[in-house]
Amino acid sequence: MGKSIVTSERSITVNRPGRREDMQSVAIKRGTKEYLRAGISLFLLGFASFSLIYCVQPLLPAFSGAFSISPAQSSLALSFTTGLLAVSILLSGAFSQALGRKGLMFTSMMLASVCNIVAAIVPEWHQLLIARAIEGVVLGGVPAVAMAWLAEEIEPTHLGKTMGLYVGGTAFGAMMGRVGMGLLTELTSWRGAMEIQGLLCLVSAVGFYVLLPFSKNFVKNPGFNVRFHLKAWGQHLSNPGLIRLYVIGFFLTSIFVTLFNYATFRLSEVPFNFNQTQISSVFCAFAFGIVSSSVAGTLADKLGKKPLLIAGFFLMLAGSLCTLSSSLAGIVAGIIMVTTGFFISHSVASGAVGPLSGTLKGHASSLYLLFYYMGSSVTGSAGGWFWQHGGWSAIVYLTAVFSTAGMIISASVTKK
């Protein structure tokens, strides 16, 4: 036990933040072939992982009808995935220190794709939930490890831009997972759509593995030293700067997932009566997230984090209030504003974790994503109570509270 701690501490000394010149000498620089390959592979990673996570969101009304369950119960198809994903991420960030980054991400994507296909095939609701829960567990090897890989391998001056590209890939995946599911459901069925989604993500996983450069700055810590990892997590949880980012991550998904979960039910009811394809088309708003995340990463490198975080939460607040409109145009405009604000803030917050975390970037990233996905799981399901007891206005008031709190926390973040 003691010996492995010493080994880990030696690894930490080698990669001390003050020696950034050593990191930059082997860092991937913008404009190189490796940078292009990294960007494409991480875009595929973001696409596959997030389309798998969120492909069930436009299907919640279909689940309610097919299995005779309430809206709150149907939301468990997403909440089980994100809830177990949050816990799995915490462990995956630690295991990646022993197993390596690339292989863990690839294996996670492959297993999650298979789980999605299984969820499409099983006949019972509880079986579908089990498959989605396992999917969340195996997907834990992607998000935190991807953030750590970027922070370790990309030249620091271009980290914000590259993180923005990765988040853009997650936005594209989240959009195609939702929009594509609606179109495929109309052509086949919701089961057929989930099967096709799983197969596409298997192909994306292979493309990711072929293109991603191998790590150059990663220092392997063999074995699983419980004391070492607990100490690392405790160190990050005692860092006020990181705590702010973790709370921001919780607020972001609390707003975003809750609003989108129950927007599907609102649009499927009178006076809109949208079908599956029409509901899914609303998620085209994610295209604004693809652009805003990339732009936000670049601006954060130039202007600092604080103004962009505040602007992102302000857009989410304004967009939430805008959806109170009885007109479809007002609702769509509000959803676009919420989406844009979300991806601005998430891109900036996730990109800020690595520089504040010192050497143990996998641990810091996993904690950020633990809070991030707990917001999706806890508030996303709790929103069902607000929907059933207060309708859409209760959902909006809930998200408005989180948006306001997010602006307050963002105002305390250091400029750089």
Side-chain angles (χ1 to χ4, degrees), residues 40 42-52 54-55 164-181 197 200-201 204 256 283-294 339 342-343 346:
I40 296 173
L42 287 165
F43 190 89
L44 288 174
L45 180 75
F47 161 75
S49 57
F50 276 71
S51 63
L52 287 170
Y54 293 108
C55 66
L165 289 173
Y166 166 65
V167 174
T170 69
F172 182 73
M175 178 180 76
M176 293 309 297
R178 292 164 165 105
V179 176
M181 290 302 286
Q197 183 78 11
L200 287 174
C201 291
S204 296
F256 192 60
F283 293 101
C284 287
F286 274 69
F288 292 87
I290 299 171
V291 177
S292 63
S293 59
S294 180
T339 303
F342 169 80
F343 281 104
H346 176 44

Side-chain angles (χ1 to χ4, degrees), residues 9-340:
E9 289 173 349
R10 285 175 179 168
S11 297
I12 294 169
T13 302
V14 170
N15 289 294
R16 203 174 289 278
R19 300 189 60 187
R20 294 176 70 88
E21 67 277 4
D22 295 334
M23 291 282 286
Q24 290 187 32
S25 65
V26 291
I28 297 176
K29 295 177 173 57
R30 188 176 180 182
T32 63
K33 185 180 293 186
E34 278 193 320
Y35 185 88
L36 177 62
R37 289 176 57 195
I40 296 173
S41 61
L42 287 165
F43 190 89
L44 288 174
L45 180 75
F47 161 75
S49 57
F50 276 71
S51 63
L52 287 170
I53 293 169
Y54 293 108
C55 66
V56 297
Q57 198 167 39
L59 301 179
L60 299 185
F63 291 158
S64 289
F67 297 105
S68 300
I69 54 178
S70 69
Q73 288 175 303
S74 71
S75 72
L76 294 176
L78 178 58
S79 293
F80 270 33
T81 304
T82 55
L84 286 167
L85 174 64
V87 177
S88 177
I89 280 171
L90 196 64
L91 297 176
S92 297
F95 277 113
S96 70
Q97 294 291 145
L99 301 175
R101 311 290 195 204
K102 183 174 180 176
L104 182 58
M105 288 187 282
F106 171 70
T107 303
S108 296
M109 290 170 68
M110 294 290 287
L111 292 176
S113 301
V114 172
C115 285
N116 212 62
I117 295 172
V118 171
I121 296 173
V122 295
E124 303 294 335
W125 173 243
H126 71 274
Q127 294 171 333
L128 185 150
L129 289 181
I130 291 171
R132 289 288 298 174
I134 297 173
E135 189 171 334
V137 172
V138 297
L139 269 175
V142 175
V145 181
M147 288 174 62
W149 189 95
L150 281 164
E152 288 167 349
E153 305 300 329
I154 301 298
E155 190 175 36
T157 53
H158 301 308
L159 178 58
K161 174 66 175 178
T162 314
M163 187 67 76
L165 289 173
Y166 166 65
V167 174
T170 69
F172 182 73
M175 178 180 76
M176 293 309 297
R178 292 164 165 105
V179 176
M181 290 302 286
L183 296 174
L184 289 172
T185 298
E186 289 292 318
L187 293 174
T188 58
S189 65
W190 66 262
R191 292 185 183 277
M194 289 184 70
E195 289 177 20
I196 294 171
Q197 183 78 11
L199 292 172
L200 287 174
C201 291
L202 282 173
V203 174
S204 296
V206 174
F208 159 82
Y209 188 81
V210 170
L211 290 172
L212 187 73
F214 284 96
S215 300
K216 295 179 180 178
N217 299 309
F218 171 69
V219 178
K220 194 172 185 178
N221 289 315
F224 187 79
N225 188 321
V226 175
R227 183 180 168 190
F228 168 74
H229 294 300
L230 289 174
K231 183 178 179 181
W233 286 320
Q235 175 183 319
H236 293 317
L237 288 172
S238 64
N239 184 329
L242 286 174
I243 288 293
R244 293 188 189 97
L245 295 175
Y246 297 157
V247 173
I248 284 172
F250 180 87
F251 287 163
L252 285 172
T253 51
S254 290
I255 300 162
F256 192 60
V257 172
T258 300
L259 187 137
F260 270 97
N261 272 359
Y262 301 100
T264 61
F265 288 97
R266 185 187 183 194
L267 293 173
S268 67
E269 296 179 349
V270 177
F272 304 107
N273 296 316
F274 275 16
N275 60 32
Q276 195 66 61
T277 300
Q278 290 172 318
I279 290 174
S280 296
S281 67
V282 173
F283 293 101
C284 287
F286 274 69
F288 292 87
I290 299 171
V291 177
S292 63
S293 59
S294 180
V295 172
T298 302
L299 291 177
D301 290 337
K302 296 179 180 179
L303 304 178
K305 302 180 289 289
K306 182 188 295 187
L308 289 173
L309 287 171
I310 294 173
F313 275 111
F314 179 79
L315 275 173
M316 296 182 82
L317 173 60
S320 295
L321 296 175
C322 194
T323 63
L324 287 171
S325 171
S326 59
S327 72
L328 180 60
I331 294 171
V332 171
I335 287 174
I336 289 173
M337 292 169 69
V338 170
T339 303
T340 302

